Each structure stands twice: as C-alpha cells, then as structure tokens.
Amino acid sequence: MFYEIGRVEVITVITYLVYLGCKEFKDLDNKYIPLICGVTGGILGVIGMYTAPDFPTKDILNSMAIGIVSGLFAAKANLISK
C-alpha cells in the first residue's frame, strides 16, 4: 500500500517543479499557476494509470482526480512551508 502512495507523490513532485517553473515567468499572472498545476497533475494521473501497473486506480476519472488534487497540493505546498 505504501508503494502505491509513492506513485501519487511522484505526481506532486513533478507538478511542484512545474509550479517553480511557472514562478520564473514574470509575465504569467499568479492566479493561473494553480490551474496549470492542476491540469498538469490530471494529465500525469492518467499517464500514471497507463504506465504504472500498480497505480492506485484503474479508471480515468479517478486517476485524473488524484492527479488534480496532487497538482493543486503542489501549488499550495509553498504557502504551507512559509
């Protein structure tokens, strides 16, 4: 079970790196960054479902939901650490 949770943490780490990349663009409004991270997480959730045989879910909707929540958490993780 712990190994399955590790797959979701990978999505969070990747979307956090996307978040850091978005912060480097000075022309990008900050209100769009959580949206970008959520969409990226949703895409990564679906990719994870197809590529990882032990991904926690086996349907697209739940995989997208896990990815979106992981992406939004990555966008807000910086605020928690302050």
Side-chain angles (χ1 to χ4, degrees):
M1 172 122 174
F2 182 72
Y3 185 70
E4 292 175 356
I5 294 172
R7 298 286 184 188
V8 177
E9 290 172 351
V10 169
I11 295 172
T12 305
V13 170
I14 293 171
T15 52
Y16 185 71
L17 293 174
V18 169
Y19 167 80
L20 292 177
C22 288
K23 292 299 267 183
E24 292 298 316
F25 290 106
K26 302 300 180 197
D27 294 337
L28 183 63
D29 194 1
N30 285 340
K31 67 181 180 182
Y32 296 118
I33 295 176
L35 177 66
I36 293 169
C37 289
V39 169
T40 303
I43 292 168
L44 289 174
V46 173
I47 291 172
M49 180 191 72
Y50 285 115
T51 59
D54 55 348
F55 197 73
T57 63
K58 299 298 178 199
D59 60 306
I60 292 176
L61 191 59
N62 283 329
S63 297
M64 276 195 331
I66 287 173
I68 290 169
V69 169
S70 298
L72 292 176
F73 177 75
K76 296 300 179 181
N78 192 31
L79 298 175
I80 294 171
S81 64
K82 289 185 179 181

